[in-house]
């Protein structure tokens, strides 16, 4: 295999100049840079990343721990992470924690042992062990999609199980990237209320996730804004999965006074809810109006077409990589939380008539008013 010294001889430059060209560590004259690149191409030189990591203590790799990779939402996030990492010259190591706290801790440790430079993690509903491990080992980490209430560490006597540090409530010690959840959910509820619905149910996600609690809060805020009473029987858990949502929706339909409208809190649960409605002979939107959190590629192919909240999933992945790279560049910078806005995609499953010229695509897409503008740290 060709070495860096071979490239230097072929290009007529020093080994240091070759290093600067390949690593971008110092500006090089254009003609010199081109001579080096031509020599690299002619010799088929491939940088020895293992040797480079021994010198720089960096592997140019990122660990990604995301559950339910088969979920279209996380698949699109993965695409955003991969594209941004590749553009920055980083490789990606991927693991699925399966939303299991014990497995989550194990796969993150395995990624850390592979000496990734940093990690992007979608945490489980019980991330205590995960947070403790990341904190003890000072692993540069960005939490993705789901926020973790892990405060900034304060020095106290060792022995608390978190590396000798207490936490300061409300002050995050990890970078986090997510979308808005409460305001978009409230919008779905008020939209259904404006159409005359008075019994609006929510099929919520897995308890303990920040996305679940925020969407439940948004549901309650929407009911209050519409002047509707909150009936606890109309708030059910689908555990963020299709089968759970199917059972929960069946329970709602069995109530003496069942809901006339339904909000589902993620795309998997939308599928489960639709199965239950069909199995019980209910049609959408004539018998039950439906709005869902998460848009997906085939939402426009359903009949009726699904009114949904679309999350900027690829941008979430891209932003997570950018925030992690910022952390690697400035390890001591304050932690930040980046929230991205969602879009209300108005179709017909809510009971509204088809809009002229909206036979395909995201008809009636409008940005949801949120507390944070796109890309702003809060």
């Amino acid at each position: 295999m060709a070495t860096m010294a071979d490239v230097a001889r072929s290009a007529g430059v020093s080994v240091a100049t070759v290093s600067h060209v390949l690593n971008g560590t110092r500006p090089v004259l254009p003609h010199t840079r081109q001579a080096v690149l031509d020599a690299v191409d002619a010799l088929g030189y491939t940088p020895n990343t293992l040797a480079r990591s021994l010198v720089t203590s960096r592997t140019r790799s990122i660990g990604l721990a995301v559950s339910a990779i088969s979920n279209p939402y996380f698949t699109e996030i993965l695409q955003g992470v991969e594209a941004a990492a590749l553009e920055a010259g980083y490789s990606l190591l991927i693991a699925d924690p399966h939303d299991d706290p014990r497995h989550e801790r194990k796969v993150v440790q395995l990624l850390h042992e592979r000496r990734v430079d940093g990690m992007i993690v979608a945490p489980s509903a019980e991330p205590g062990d995960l947070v403790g491990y990341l904190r003890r080992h000072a692993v540069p980490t960005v939490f993705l999609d789901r926020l973790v209430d892990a405060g900034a560490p304060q020095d106290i006597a060792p022995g608390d199980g978190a590396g000798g540090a207490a936490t300061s409530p409300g002050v995050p010690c990890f970078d986090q990237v997510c979308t808005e959840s409460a305001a978009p959910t409230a919008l779905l509820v008020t939209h259904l209320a404006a159409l005359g619905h008075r019994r609006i149910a929510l099929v919520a996600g897995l308890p303990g996730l920040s996305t679940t609690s925020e969407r439940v809060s948004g549901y309650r805020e929407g009911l209050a804004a519409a002047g509707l009473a909150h009936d606890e029987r109309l708030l059910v858990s689908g555990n963020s999965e299709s089968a759970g949502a199917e059972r929960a929706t069946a329970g709602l339909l069995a109530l003496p006074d069942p809901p006339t409208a339904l909000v589902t809190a993620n795309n998997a649960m939308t599928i489960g809810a639709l199965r239950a409605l069909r199995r019980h002979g209910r049609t959408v939107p004539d018998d039950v109006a439906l709005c869902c959190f998460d848009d997906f590629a085939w939402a426009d192919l359903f009949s009726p077409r699904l009114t949904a909240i679309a999350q900027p999933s690829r941008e979430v992945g891209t932003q997570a990589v950018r925030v992690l790279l910022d952390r690697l560049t400035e390890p001591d910078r304050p932690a930040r939380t980046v929230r991205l806005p969602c879009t209300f995609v108005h179709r017909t499953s809510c009971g509204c008539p088809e809009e002229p010229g909206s036979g395909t695509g995201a008809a009636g897409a409008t940005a949801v008013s949120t507390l944070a503008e796109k890309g702003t740290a809060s």
Side-chain angles (χ1 to χ4, degrees), residues 14-249:
S14 67
V15 171
T17 299
V18 174
S19 176
H20 291 313
V21 170
L22 297 180
N23 298 314
T25 49
R26 195 184 72 185
V28 177
L29 291 173
H31 70 275
T32 303
R33 173 182 172 79
Q34 190 58 52
V36 171
L37 295 177
D38 289 344
V40 166
D41 186 55
L43 296 172
Y45 171 73
T46 302
N48 187 330
T49 55
L50 178 60
R52 180 187 297 170
S53 68
L54 293 174
V55 174
T56 63
S57 298
R58 292 284 184 91
T59 60
R60 304 289 291 183
S61 62
I62 294 172
L64 176 65
V66 178
S67 294
I69 292 175
S70 60
N71 184 315
Y73 172 64
F74 282 114
T75 301
E76 292 185 8
I77 284 181
L78 172 58
Q79 292 170 354
V81 171
E82 183 180 38
L86 182 63
E87 183 180 1
Y90 282 76
S91 59
L92 205 58
L93 300 180
I94 306 172
D96 188 340
H98 302 294
D99 272 331
D100 180 334
R102 287 177 298 180
H103 191 61
E104 170 182 71
R105 164 71 167 70
K106 181 178 180 180
V107 299
V108 164
Q109 180 175 345
L110 288 174
L111 289 172
H112 184 221
E113 290 172 354
R114 295 294 297 271
R115 296 296 184 262
V116 295
D117 293 339
M119 288 194 211
I120 298 173
V121 181
S124 70
E126 300 176 24
D129 286 346
L130 167 70
V131 170
Y133 180 87
L134 295 171
R135 193 179 276 152
R136 283 193 299 275
H137 295 277
V139 182
T141 302
V142 174
F143 286 129
L144 179 78
D145 181 62
R146 305 154 175 182
L147 302 182
V148 171
D149 186 18
Q154 298 174 322
D155 292 333
I156 62 170
D160 71 321
T167 61
S168 176
V171 182
C173 65
F174 291 99
D175 296 308
Q176 309 191 87
V177 177
C178 64
T179 65
E180 293 288 350
S181 281
T185 307
L187 175 61
L188 294 180
V189 174
T190 55
H191 177 66
L192 291 168
L195 296 175
H197 295 281
R198 293 297 174 263
R199 290 186 61 74
I200 303 170
L202 173 69
V203 181
L206 187 67
L209 298 179
S210 67
T211 48
T212 298
S213 60
E214 290 184 2
R215 288 168 199 175
V216 168
S217 295
Y219 167 70
R220 290 174 172 153
E221 290 167 9
L223 292 175
L228 300 178
H230 175 46
D231 184 344
E232 287 290 345
R233 295 176 301 168
L234 298 182
L235 174 57
V236 295
S237 174
N239 288 322
S240 298
E241 61 181 14
S242 177
E246 187 173 354
R247 291 190 296 270
T249 303

Side-chain angles (χ1 to χ4, degrees), residues 293-319:
F293 208 106
D294 281 341
D295 197 24
F296 39 94
W298 15 280
D300 193 52
L301 302 178
F302 281 87
S303 181
R305 299 159 62 238
L306 298 180
T307 294
I309 293 295
Q311 300 189 77
S313 45
R314 285 184 66 96
E315 181 65 15
V316 169
T318 299
Q319 286 289 340

